[in-house]
Amino acid sequence: MRATILHAPGDIRVEEVPDAAIEQPTDAVVRVVAGCICGSDLWPYRGLNAATPPRTIGHECIGVVEEVGSAVRSVRPGDFVIVPFCHSDNTCPHCRAGVQSGCSNLGFTVSGQAEYARVTQADGTLVALVGVPDEHLVPSLLTLSDVMPTGWHASVAARVKPGDTAVVVGDGAVGLCGVLSAVLQGAEQVVALSRHAPRQEVARAFGATHVVAARGEEAVAAVRELTGGLGADAVLECVGTSESMDTAIDCARPGATVGFVGVPHGVEIDAGRLFRRNVALAGGMAPVRAYLPQLLDLVLDGRIDPGQVFDSTIDLADVAEGYRAMDERRAIKVLVRP
Amino acid sequence: MRATILHAPGDIRVEEVPDAAIEQPTDAVVRVVAGCICGSDLWPYRGLNAATPPRTIGHECIGVVEEVGSAVRSVRPGDFVIVPFCHSDNTCPHCRAGVQSGCSNLGFTVSGQAEYARVTQADGTLVALVGVPDEHLVPSLLTLSDVMPTGWHASVAARVKPGDTAVVVGDGAVGLCGVLSAVLQGAEQVVALSRHAPRQEVARAFGATHVVAARGEEAVAAVRELTGGLGADAVLECVGTSESMDTAIDCARPGATVGFVGVPHGVEIDAGRLFRRNVALAGGMAPVRAYLPQLLDLVLDGRIDPGQVFDSTIDLADVAEGYRAMDERRAIKVLVRP
């Protein structure tokens, strides 16, 4: 099959590799209808993660089941499925507690930017649609494999409640989905921090009531002004750097929670800083499977359209250009068609 | 008045100082009936906080109102009162949100180990009893000024719910009150980490179902074994060191919250560690005033007896010996009678 391979920082190529295949009776193989590039793919692309040998990349996709292992019961070849980026058996105690991202049999999609992807724990992971979705739904359905449930997780972790003022740090696809999630969870004011016009536009389309085109202390000051000096009731941290975490913590009012879903890169937190203002920190890898049924209904009912985070669609052959566009912030999020 | 003065690390003396006095119309002066030594007083006593000039010390006390400022309406001279260690107006937005420890007019008791203590924001801070309490209630009432609401806050922050397995890290008075709080909040199994027989005894009296006489990795392993490998549903961190925080985080199951109330001393947390297992961190200085009415009822009804944390009572004149006894862990908590 043709798959995207990260050879080294900045060196992304589409190459022929062995087909994704059933390795365990609980596996499925999905023919990818649409994949995409994630902000977190930019970390290794930029050389900011530890070096690895050349490997397939891409953890987000939707598609059609091609083949299933002998133990798989809930999906069959031909089913159109959403593929959560983290695979879970959905039966272990962690899954039953709603933390599928801590599953005892955790797995990941590793060739989402390719023709086929192997899915472990297919019964516990995949969610099948009835029939084949309309083409116009593809972008929104694709967000359900990662960025929309991840933004949702930030909002759940931040304990957004009706009437709240929520601040979203990060204007990538996850941050924008965080804006949408906070609105859906009842926040009355949603403040998006963004200095990029196209992203500001999506944030507003998703319901942001305020856009603050600033960072760091300047952004914190703006949030304080917007909240009568109090700080925000809930903060969604959707980046994963020390700077973004600092901003998030400083925007929070005493007693508030920072819901953080940006994969942390070298983020060290002084516990005393949280202690002095009773600011809590909650988050991590989103339990996509837990949120999927609810979010899928919202998409299918046309109540939300998170697919607006995609502002570019490319063929798999052009994936390297997709990485460049996201790296240079010329694109918010790139959809990849195999 | 006679008051305890910390001159320098290890140098505690009782000396004559100017009487606590009304400085603002919202102040009250309380004649201390009972004060005590807190684990957090040991930090400056041991020289582990930044050096300060000689100063009065002691933030926990109960007593009788001696005098009130012209604006005070809710208490009057002669009232027997509980004095929360943190003073709050109970009307600002932070107080109304239940975070009295983040009050816009925050103050602290600074001469609790003395004959008199000044209380700022008396109307919002003090809770008066009807009449004078029985002498046998004094120790439990005294815990309401700090350690019992602080243990309660750890349990609230850790989101203990009925049926949970809760682990309490720290066997000081706050940790022991944390055990009692987790039991009251419905935890089915409460695991106290303690290697000291007298503290283990109080933990069991407060409802601990398990005592683990270990620290660090050994304690974590014991908790894993007790929870079928899963980890605890909730963890209360009641110490404030890097070691205790590490233990607390490692004891938590994915999705659990570490409620932390030990004043952090040099505790840096790697956000990636929390992220990978969706372990949350919540806590800080307890909003004593928020919890006080409920906890006072429990004490007055005889349903709880947190005063068992006191295993030593001394005269104010002997306060230096009280510090030595706590420093050397010969006493759990020392009650001081002016």
Side-chain angles (χ1 to χ4, degrees):
Chain A
M1 67 178 188
R2 288 182 312 132
T4 304
I5 309 285
L6 176 69
H7 279 267
D11 183 1
I12 282 276
R13 307 178 214 162
V14 174
E15 292 178 349
E16 198 66 35
V17 300
D19 278 1
I22 303 292
E23 296 176 24
Q24 298 288 332
T26 44
D27 288 355
V29 169
V30 170
R31 176 171 58 79
V32 176
V33 168
C36 52
I37 304 172
C38 182
S40 66
D41 293 332
L42 296 180
W43 290 102
Y45 178 79
R46 290 169 175 165
L48 297 172
N49 283 358
T52 58
R55 59 175 176 89
T56 60
I57 188 167
H59 53 268
E60 297 162 285
C61 68
I62 56 176
V64 176
V65 176
E66 180 80 10
E67 191 185 351
V68 296
S70 58
V72 175
R73 295 285 170 270
S74 63
V75 293
R76 60 181 66 186
D79 283 352
F80 194 100
V81 289
I82 312 293
V83 186
F85 77 93
C86 55
H87 310 162
S88 52
D89 60 25
N90 223 11
T91 57
C92 80
H94 299 309
C95 286
R96 290 202 308 272
V99 193
Q100 281 86 344
S101 46
C103 176
S104 304
N105 289 299
L106 191 65
F108 297 96
T109 303
V110 296
S111 64
Q113 297 155 13
E115 288 182 294
Y116 296 94
R118 174 179 170 235
V119 181
T120 66
Q121 303 296 331
D123 276 333
T125 301
L126 296 170
V127 172
L129 274 68
V130 179
V132 173
D134 277 358
E135 182 58 28
H136 80 276
L137 284 175
V138 163
S140 284
L141 293 172
L142 179 54
T143 66
L144 299 182
S145 72
D146 182 350
V147 289
M148 183 61 206
T150 295
W152 187 262
H153 188 50
S155 189
V156 168
R159 306 174 81 169
V160 170
K161 54 186 192 312
D164 271 1
T165 293
V167 169
V168 181
V169 182
D171 62 359
V174 168
L176 295 170
C177 288
V179 168
L180 181 56
S181 299
V183 170
L184 287 165
Q185 290 170 30
E188 202 170 283
Q189 294 195 99
V190 177
V191 185
L193 307 192
S194 176
R195 300 182 302 172
H196 295 77
R199 295 161 191 247
Q200 294 175 347
E201 206 170 299
V202 179
R204 289 196 192 278
F206 283 175
T209 54
H210 300 78
V211 170
V212 169
R215 286 185 166 196
E217 283 179 27
E218 201 188 332
V220 173
V223 168
R224 297 220 165 263
E225 197 174 322
L226 274 169
T227 55
L230 299 179
D233 302 305
V235 184
L236 287 65
E237 194 288 308
C238 305
V239 182
T241 62
S242 288
E243 294 71 23
S244 60
M245 185 64 91
D246 281 348
T247 301
I249 292 171
D250 290 346
C251 283
R253 67 182 281 170
T257 300
V258 173
F260 73 113
V261 296
V263 185
H265 280 72
V267 181
E268 291 279 328
I269 299 153
D270 170 15
R273 209 171 141 204
L274 302 174
F275 184 92
R276 282 186 288 279
R277 297 193 301 125
N278 266 275
V279 169
L281 208 59
M285 207 160 65
V288 176
R289 187 59 182 77
Y291 304 136
L292 198 42
Q294 179 181 6
L295 296 174
L296 179 57
D297 280 351
L298 291 171
V299 167
L300 294 176
D301 291 352
R303 289 188 50 206
I304 61 172
D305 182 18
Q308 291 177 62
V309 296
F310 292 106
D311 55 352
S312 171
T313 297
I314 57 170
D315 285 330
L316 177 56
D318 302 321
V319 71
E321 164 53 19
Y323 273 82
R324 278 192 296 273
M326 280 184 63
D327 183 37
E328 294 161 13
R329 293 180 79 91
R330 283 186 280 116
I332 301 175
K333 193 167 178 71
V334 176
L335 191 149
V336 181
R337 291 286 197 172
Chain B
M1 66 178 187
R2 289 182 311 131
T4 303
I5 309 286
L6 177 69
H7 280 267
D11 183 1
I12 282 275
R13 307 178 214 163
V14 174
E15 292 177 349
E16 198 67 34
V17 300
D19 279 1
I22 303 292
E23 297 176 21
Q24 299 288 332
T26 45
D27 288 355
V29 169
V30 170
R31 175 172 58 79
V32 177
V33 167
C36 51
I37 304 172
C38 182
S40 66
D41 292 332
L42 296 180
W43 290 102
Y45 177 78
R46 290 170 175 164
L48 297 172
N49 283 358
T52 57
R55 59 177 176 90
T56 60
I57 188 168
H59 54 267
E60 298 161 285
C61 68
I62 55 177
V64 176
V65 176
E66 180 80 10
E67 192 184 351
V68 297
S70 59
V72 176
R73 294 286 170 271
S74 63
V75 292
R76 59 182 67 186
D79 283 351
F80 193 101
V81 289
I82 312 292
V83 186
F85 77 92
C86 54
H87 311 163
S88 51
D89 61 25
N90 223 10
T91 56
C92 80
H94 299 309
C95 286
R96 290 202 308 272
V99 194
Q100 282 85 345
S101 46
C103 175
S104 305
N105 290 299
L106 192 64
F108 296 95
T109 303
V110 296
S111 64
Q113 298 155 13
E115 289 181 295
Y116 296 95
R118 174 180 169 233
V119 181
T120 66
Q121 302 297 329
D123 275 334
T125 302
L126 296 170
V127 172
L129 276 68
V130 178
V132 174
D134 277 357
E135 181 58 30
H136 81 277
L137 284 176
V138 163
S140 284
L141 293 172
L142 179 55
T143 66
L144 299 181
S145 73
D146 182 351
V147 289
M148 182 62 205
T150 295
W152 187 262
H153 188 50
S155 190
V156 168
R159 306 173 80 169
V160 170
K161 54 185 191 314
D164 272 0
T165 293
V167 169
V168 181
V169 182
D171 62 358
V174 169
L176 296 169
C177 288
V179 167
L180 181 55
S181 299
V183 170
L184 286 165
Q185 290 171 29
E188 201 169 283
Q189 293 195 99
V190 178
V191 185
L193 307 191
S194 175
R195 301 181 302 172
H196 295 77
R199 294 160 192 249
Q200 293 175 346
E201 207 171 299
V202 178
R204 289 195 192 281
F206 282 175
T209 53
H210 301 78
V211 170
V212 169
R215 285 185 167 194
E217 284 179 27
E218 199 187 334
V220 173
V223 167
R224 297 222 164 260
E225 197 176 321
L226 273 169
T227 55
L230 299 179
D233 302 305
V235 184
L236 287 65
E237 195 288 307
C238 306
V239 182
T241 63
S242 289
E243 294 72 24
S244 59
M245 185 63 91
D246 281 348
T247 301
I249 292 171
D250 289 347
C251 283
R253 67 182 282 169
T257 300
V258 173
F260 74 113
V261 295
V263 185
H265 280 71
V267 181
E268 290 281 327
I269 298 153
D270 170 16
R273 210 171 141 204
L274 301 175
F275 184 91
R276 281 187 289 279
R277 297 193 301 123
N278 266 274
V279 169
L281 207 59
M285 207 160 63
V288 175
R289 187 59 182 76
Y291 304 137
L292 199 42
Q294 179 181 6
L295 295 175
L296 179 58
D297 280 350
L298 290 172
V299 167
L300 294 176
D301 292 352
R303 289 190 49 207
I304 61 172
D305 182 18
Q308 292 177 63
V309 297
F310 292 106
D311 56 351
S312 170
T313 296
I314 56 170
D315 285 330
L316 176 57
D318 301 321
V319 72
E321 164 52 18
Y323 272 82
R324 279 193 296 273
M326 280 185 61
D327 183 38
E328 295 162 13
R329 292 180 78 90
R330 284 185 280 115
I332 302 175
K333 193 166 178 73
V334 175
L335 191 150
V336 180
R337 291 286 197 170

